Amino acid sequence: MDYEFDEKLTALEATRHGTDGAVVRVTLLGPGKGNAMGPAFWAETPRLFRALSADESVRAIVITGSGPHFTYGLDLTSFASGAGSTLADDGGLARARTRFLYEIREMQTSLDEVAACRKPVAAAISGWCIGGGIDLLAACDVRFGSADAKFSIREVRMAIVADMGSLARLPGILSEGHLRELALTGRDFDAAKAERIGLLNEVLASPEEAVAAAHAFADEIAANPPLVVQGVKEVLDVNRAERVAAAQRYVTTWNAAFLPSHDLTEAMTAFAQRRAPEFGGR
């Protein structure tokens, strides 16, 4: 049964599950087979999660991807022609950088609403979860993965300082050493490592079992007193929220100042040409 929402969703699908429809499953739809996070995702996510947070009939949320992958992360094609192109205006002077700063903040709001949702959010991950997908996982309360799940905090390999929340929220999930290892290298890692370092709560044998585990968690929550559950989230989040907000402000300012570079152009060109980039530190 579709979740009753006041607008048509194109990047997400929301359906009711569980007893009395108290659990809502949010499925990433794309564009593309890897459920890339394009403009529609960033526009629809905050509105949907604000509605879910306010809906008293909803007690828990499960988020997953359609098809074999959770998400390939930010849709680089739309980014290059949209927010990324803003910095080319006015030769990259103050007006363009200020506009870009507010565009980043607007995109951050999308995942901030996931983190701030009063209802617990469980993620079920299979296949690839890259870049912006990690940002989304970091905004969830718990994470279940299938054995085939693969992860990468890949922004560094694209000459970008990750600015959608992973560097702000993962310090509360991973140890500092593991976070620095993965954020500084951008290397790929598997579900076994993700569980070992605390990114995943549990690894299941198949994608179907990962989704089932997330729903079992959500059903268990839905049976508890809803206002107390929301109170637990509020208390757990009270210290983290201030630290995350400060880190988000800082990285937004950093990227508005320093994101445009020869290395970023080289990363985007190499991505389009399907070759390894050659970075020069310019």
Side-chain angles (χ1 to χ4, degrees), residues 31-181:
K33 63 180 181 180
N35 304 318
M37 303 162 86
F41 170 87
W42 301 105
E44 293 172 8
T45 297
R47 294 195 288 267
L48 175 60
F49 274 84
R50 279 194 292 267
L52 293 171
S53 185
D55 190 334
E56 293 184 0
S57 71
V58 176
R59 296 195 175 189
I61 300 162
V62 172
I63 187 164
T64 190
S66 60
H69 301 291
F70 186 72
T71 177
Y72 286 168
L74 179 67
D75 183 351
L76 291 175
T77 301
S78 65
F79 173 77
S81 61
S85 67
T86 298
L87 290 172
D89 297 346
D90 300 328
L93 296 177
R95 182 168 59 182
R97 291 176 187 272
T98 301
R99 188 182 305 125
F100 184 61
L101 182 145
Y102 286 109
E103 288 178 357
I104 297 173
R105 287 183 180 175
E106 187 67 24
M107 291 174 70
Q108 286 176 340
T109 298
S110 299
L111 301 187
D112 290 346
E113 291 294 342
V114 177
C117 184
R118 291 184 291 168
K119 318 304 168 61
V121 182
I125 307 100
S126 59
W128 276 111
C129 178
I130 300 171
I134 303 287
D135 296 309
L136 177 55
L137 295 191
C140 297
D141 295 284
V142 299
R143 295 152 290 275
F144 300 90
S146 61
D148 74 333
K150 295 173 288 187
F151 305 85
S152 178
I153 306 173
R154 193 169 292 184
E155 285 88 346
V156 68
R157 288 160 58 182
M158 298 304 298
I160 297 172
V161 177
D163 57 10
M164 289 297 122
S166 58
L167 299 185
R169 294 190 175 95
L170 286 178
I173 300 171
L174 309 182
S175 71
E176 184 171 342
H178 285 129
L179 176 54
R180 287 174 182 265
E181 170 199 345

